[in-house]
Amino acid sequence: MREAALSLFSRHGYAAVSMRQIAKEVGVQAGALYNYTPDKQTLLFELMRSHMDDLLSARAATGDSGQDAMARLEAFTRFHIHFHSQRPDEVFIAYMELRNLTPENFEVIEGLRRQYENGLEDILSAGQSDGVFAVSDTKIAAMAVIAMLTGVNTWFQEGGRLSLEEVEQIYWDMVRKSVAANP
Amino acid sequence: MREAALSLFSRHGYAAVSMRQIAKEVGVQAGALYNYTPDKQTLLFELMRSHMDDLLSARAATGDSGQDAMARLEAFTRFHIHFHSQRPDEVFIAYMELRNLTPENFEVIEGLRRQYENGLEDILSAGQSDGVFAVSDTKIAAMAVIAMLTGVNTWFQEGGRLSLEEVEQIYWDMVRKSVAANP
């Protein structure tokens, strides 16, 4: 059911998709859907929350503590590109459908997103203290780096001119220089 | 009519908005709309095309030729942030509704977008030749910079902690370093 909703929301947009259409895609009667979710809003919220939960736990699983800030930033950069390139629909919806969340649900998703951004900001602050990074505002720098990296999703295609590993290397080179004290 | 469509598309998404709703927002009968546009697809296409035309002509009006690559990159960076921050709805739709364009209309919009990206790529190539920039792939670097700068729209608010001028300065600092040979 989640896969059907994800696919329909990303193709047509949340507001244009009905529970009836989702049921049809799953291959059940519309009424049967309500055994699994109380309404379409909950379905959207669960999709976005599980995407953010997956992101945070996959990130936590890379376990970067103990390394220096430069190594942590490289790990973050490669992780972010890799994780997001595997989930184009989730990433698209996570950005596009924020406007369709209820205020309470929006707060939850924003909180998870802030948690992820704070993880990067911590790395930047650590590198700043060590003198290896020089950014004028760690919060803005974190958002700038994340926007740059997520942008890969708008153009990258498997089998194109560059492999994902080459793309990661190019972006890592730019990210490193953008925040480094002595690039 | 365009303003009404822009506002409705950005709030609800193209697929969820009917010509009837647009007519209601404008304050005319649905039939009257067809005097101005043959259909909803044309309306979306015209919104996206005029956004790209405005972008390209505003950019051309800044006239950066004759300057060195570093000055041209700074002008591009400040222009991009400033232009896009004034048009959040257009920017949102330009990204989000690409999927809803017919293949022919998509080609036109993609062509205009490529033209804009090529403008930045030219600056990067010129700086590369002059030895002031060092990027491993000017095309990817151009898209990375644009994604980073457009990201300002996802968080910037007038009257917040930072003025737009301060934001421009922070991003210019990061963009400069990210591509510079000797940052």
Side-chain angles (χ1 to χ4, degrees):
Chain A
M1 180 187 66
R2 282 203 189 175
E3 269 173 47
L6 179 68
S7 161
L8 286 168
F9 290 166
S10 78
R11 268 183 288 152
H12 308 294
Y14 172 80
V17 173
S18 66
M19 287 293 269
R20 187 171 295 272
Q21 279 171 283
I22 297 169
K24 197 178 164 199
E25 183 98 354
V26 178
V28 299
Q29 297 289 320
L33 269 195
Y34 294 96
N35 293 323
Y36 302 100
T37 184
D39 50 37
K40 198 172 66 150
Q41 171 68 211
T42 306
L43 199 45
L44 176 65
F45 174 61
E46 291 298 344
L47 279 175
M48 291 173 80
R49 187 169 66 177
S50 72
H51 172 62
M52 289 308 299
D53 285 346
D54 289 351
L55 174 65
L56 288 166
S57 40
R59 172 81 189 114
T62 66
D64 68 359
S65 58
Q67 296 180 297
D68 64 33
M70 191 62 85
R72 291 170 67 197
L73 183 61
E74 179 170 0
F76 180 93
T77 298
R78 293 183 185 276
F79 166 79
H80 187 96
I81 291 176
H82 190 81
F83 184 91
H84 289 84
S85 72
Q86 310 301 310
R87 293 162 181 81
D89 287 349
E90 286 89 339
V91 173
F92 186 61
I93 286 175
Y95 168 69
M96 180 187 67
E97 301 294 5
L98 281 174
R99 62 183 172 173
N100 281 318
L101 291 173
T102 61
E104 307 75 52
N105 288 344
F106 179 82
E107 273 311 303
V108 175
I109 301 300
E110 271 301 285
L112 295 170
R113 186 188 298 257
R114 235 174 285 127
Q115 202 177 318
Y116 184 69
E117 288 170 0
N118 289 347
L120 175 55
E121 202 189 339
D122 285 349
I123 297 173
L124 296 176
S125 300
Q128 192 94 316
S129 304
D130 296 347
V132 291
F133 297 156
V135 292
S136 47
D137 190 306
T138 51
K139 178 148 222 64
I140 307 296
M143 289 189 295
V145 166
I146 286 173
M148 181 196 265
L149 299 179
T150 308
V152 171
N153 268 32
T154 64
W155 63 267
F156 180 74
Q157 293 201 313
E158 288 288 355
R161 179 167 67 91
L162 298 164
S163 71
L164 192 60
E165 289 64 36
E166 288 170 317
V167 171
E168 278 180 29
Q169 190 58 43
I170 292 169
Y171 276 76
W172 165 234
D173 195 43
M174 290 183 74
V175 166
R176 180 183 57 72
K177 286 163 67 181
S178 73
V179 301
N182 302 295
Chain B
M1 180 188 66
R2 282 202 189 174
E3 269 174 48
L6 179 68
S7 162
L8 286 168
F9 289 165
S10 79
R11 267 183 288 152
H12 308 293
Y14 171 80
V17 173
S18 66
M19 288 292 269
R20 189 171 294 275
Q21 279 171 284
I22 298 169
K24 197 178 164 197
E25 183 98 354
V26 178
V28 300
Q29 296 289 322
L33 269 196
Y34 294 95
N35 292 322
Y36 302 100
T37 185
D39 50 36
K40 198 171 66 151
Q41 171 68 210
T42 306
L43 198 44
L44 176 65
F45 174 60
E46 291 298 345
L47 279 175
M48 291 173 81
R49 188 169 64 177
S50 72
H51 173 62
M52 289 308 299
D53 285 345
D54 289 352
L55 175 64
L56 288 165
S57 41
R59 172 81 189 116
T62 65
D64 67 1
S65 58
Q67 295 181 297
D68 64 33
M70 191 62 85
R72 291 170 67 197
L73 183 61
E74 179 170 359
F76 180 93
T77 298
R78 293 183 185 276
F79 166 79
H80 188 96
I81 292 176
H82 190 80
F83 184 91
H84 289 84
S85 71
Q86 309 301 310
R87 293 163 181 80
D89 286 349
E90 285 90 339
V91 173
F92 186 61
I93 287 175
Y95 168 68
M96 180 188 67
E97 301 294 5
L98 281 175
R99 62 183 172 175
N100 281 317
L101 290 174
T102 61
E104 305 77 50
N105 288 344
F106 179 82
E107 273 310 303
V108 175
I109 301 300
E110 271 300 283
L112 295 170
R113 186 189 297 258
R114 234 173 287 127
Q115 202 176 318
Y116 184 70
E117 288 170 1
N118 290 346
L120 175 55
E121 202 188 340
D122 286 348
I123 297 174
L124 296 177
S125 299
Q128 193 95 316
S129 304
D130 296 347
V132 291
F133 298 156
V135 292
S136 46
D137 190 306
T138 51
K139 177 147 223 64
I140 307 295
M143 290 189 294
V145 166
I146 287 173
M148 182 196 265
L149 299 180
T150 308
V152 171
N153 268 32
T154 64
W155 62 266
F156 180 73
Q157 294 202 313
E158 289 286 356
R161 179 167 68 90
L162 298 164
S163 71
L164 192 59
E165 288 66 35
E166 289 170 316
V167 171
E168 279 180 28
Q169 190 57 44
I170 293 169
Y171 276 76
W172 164 234
D173 195 44
M174 290 182 73
V175 167
R176 180 183 57 74
K177 287 163 66 179
S178 73
V179 301
N182 301 296

